[in-house]
Amino acid sequence: MKLTGKQTRAWLLNFSAKIQEKKQDLNDLDQAIGDGDHGSNMARGVHAVEEAIKNENHTPASEILKKAAMAMVSKVGGASGPLYGTAFLEMAKVIDTEELPTVLAAGLDGVKKRSKADADEKTMADMWAPVVKALQEKKLTKDVINESVEATKELKATKGRASYLNEGSIGHLDPGSVSSSYLFFALLEEVDVNE
Amino acid sequence: MSKPFGVLLASHVEELAFGVYKLLKESATNTPLTYAGGTDEGNIGSSFDKIMQAVEENEADHIYAFYDLGSAKMTLEMVSEMCDKSIEIVDCAFIEGAFTASVLINGGNEKEAIDKQLTPLKIK
Ligand SMILES: Nc1ncnc2c1ncn2[C@@H]1O[C@H](COP(=O)(O)OP(=O)(O)OP(=O)(O)O)[C@@H](O)[C@H]1O
Ligand SMILES: [Mg+2]
């Protein structure tokens, strides 16, 4: 399936609502292995996303994503800003013409390009990779998303703030992977992804 | 008139960026030097707009950009991809790297000489 502008907008607004609801949880997760600002950063970002797209009812999906990307890049203030921003920008390049799995694969490439993270470095990329794979196989479910997040727990961070803790990062969820799970839960709620 | 080289500082903290700027300015009085610190609200973090402004205000043709931690670098990358100035993000020890580049630029050195002295200060 291909996403319309309307679906893309609904997806991002749903994501925003989830982030705002979980702001404190995300801050708490980040406090354990980072600097405690991931929820506040993301909440600031998605608020700006909402402002940027709320009146865009007839805009192509690519334009919606570009606006969302710039809002994240400008307002988040932490590493997750450029990471989500680059993911959205890469998705914007293909969303008007390609099927959903290809779009999210482009997003994952964006995350990797910005973070330079390989697999198992305990970053958002570790959460996105299995989700994109499941989507390509038309097998994306809530369980897949939950498992992808849980899998970050046992990893040792070798990128980002948590990497300074070395072994100390093991046993904690990666905050950026948790916020990413809300992006995919929102997607499942808004569209029939395995169609 | 534009100058060939300049230095940009990007830090998570406004006072830290300004502090390093002050330190460099004492020795590198003629080097184009700009800085960006903290978020738009003045909190700890990175600001795309502040970094973009520091790029635009830097009168050099080629800017050596130094950063303290993670998102300062990623935000610098975003800025550098979205503007047409020539920006080189340098993975060096923040203060020592920026100081080295600033004084060498101030002394009118060529790029080769500057790069050579920065190499041992690389941290990744
Ligand atoms: N270098 C990195 N590579 C890949 N992912 C990263 C990197 N740094 C942070 N992340 C992701 O971003 C999340 C943290 O986002 P947050 O908004 O808290 O930024 P931050 O780490 O506080 O930013 P800063 O670099 O300013 O300290 C992490 O959980 C991780 O998923
Ligand atoms: Mg953080």
Side-chain angles (χ1 to χ4, degrees):
Chain A
M1 70 169 307
K2 290 194 181 76
L3 283 194
T4 63
K6 216 173 172 153
Q7 286 171 317
T8 305
R9 177 173 166 277
W11 170 28
L12 292 173
L13 293 178
N14 185 325
F15 174 51
S16 173
K18 287 188 172 25
I19 291 289
Q20 302 198 33
E21 190 193 320
K22 301 289 188 179
K23 175 176 158 181
Q24 191 55 47
D25 292 355
L26 292 171
N27 278 342
D28 293 345
L29 286 169
D30 194 30
Q31 196 65 59
I33 52 170
D35 53 357
D37 62 3
H38 187 56
S40 305
N41 286 347
M42 289 297 293
R44 225 176 16 253
V46 294
H47 179 73
V49 170
E50 276 195 27
E51 289 296 309
I53 67 172
K54 68 178 177 202
N55 297 322
E56 306 287 335
N57 283 311
H58 306 287
T59 316
S62 56
E63 287 303 313
I64 302 264
L65 274 174
K66 273 187 217 159
K67 283 178 197 279
M70 284 321 294
M72 293 301 280
V73 170
S74 303
K75 293 291 174 241
V76 167
S80 49
L83 291 169
Y84 278 97
T86 308
F88 289 172
L89 281 178
E90 292 301 319
M91 284 156 60
K93 290 181 187 165
V94 292
I95 195 166
D96 291 339
T97 51
E98 301 293 335
E99 299 282 315
L100 188 58
T102 309
V103 174
L104 285 166
L108 171 58
D109 286 344
V111 170
K112 285 187 183 161
K113 165 185 157 192
R114 189 60 60 210
S115 68
K116 289 156 196 100
D118 291 322
D120 298 337
E121 296 211 76
K122 201 183 185 92
T123 73
M124 279 163 56
D126 291 310
M127 194 274 148
W128 280 60
V131 166
V132 168
K133 185 163 175 283
L135 200 57
Q136 284 163 339
E137 294 165 353
K138 298 193 183 295
K139 286 181 188 159
L140 183 61
T141 59
K142 279 191 160 187
D143 285 345
V144 171
I145 297 173
N146 281 323
E147 284 158 21
S148 310
V149 175
E150 279 304 312
T152 66
K153 205 171 201 170
E154 65 188 41
L155 297 173
K156 184 176 88 177
T158 45
K159 284 267 164 28
R161 286 262 183 162
S163 65
Y164 297 99
L165 296 174
N166 205 345
E167 310 283 331
S169 64
I170 299 172
H172 299 274
L173 294 173
D174 170 51
S177 296
V178 177
S179 66
S180 294
S181 74
Y182 303 139
L183 183 68
F184 298 115
F185 285 133
L187 182 66
L188 281 188
E189 285 171 17
E190 296 302 330
V191 297
D192 187 357
V193 295
N194 300 314
E195 192 180 281
Chain B
M1 206 193 78
S2 77
K3 299 182 178 178
F5 304 114
V7 167
L8 184 151
L9 305 162
S11 166
H12 274 62
V13 181
E14 210 165 322
E15 293 87 342
L16 192 56
F18 179 62
V20 178
Y21 168 84
K22 247 170 93 174
L23 178 71
L24 307 192
K25 202 72 198 165
E26 185 192 29
S27 302
T29 47
N30 289 315
T31 302
L33 206 56
T34 52
Y35 65 91
T39 64
D40 292 343
E41 294 82 19
N43 296 320
I44 298 172
S46 307
S47 158
F48 181 86
D49 289 349
K50 280 187 179 176
I51 293 180
M52 185 61 101
Q53 196 181 343
V55 166
E56 280 163 2
E57 284 173 359
N58 198 302
E59 53 176 337
D61 295 328
H62 182 81
I63 301 171
Y64 285 91
F66 297 85
Y67 63 90
D68 58 0
L69 292 171
S71 70
K73 178 179 188 181
M74 288 190 214
T75 309
L76 266 171
E77 287 174 0
M78 301 286 319
V79 167
S80 121
E81 285 165 24
M82 286 182 203
C83 77
D84 37 42
K85 274 216 178 180
S86 158
I87 303 169
E88 183 174 339
I89 301 168
V90 195
D91 295 323
C92 277
F94 182 46
I95 300 176
E96 211 177 345
F99 184 81
T100 303
S102 300
V103 295
L104 290 174
I105 291 167
N106 201 58
N109 284 274
E110 297 292 328
K111 184 158 199 312
E112 204 183 347
I114 300 168
D115 293 349
K116 195 171 161 216
Q117 286 218 43
L118 286 176
T119 303
L121 300 176
K122 293 253 148 99
I123 52 165
K124 52 181 124 168

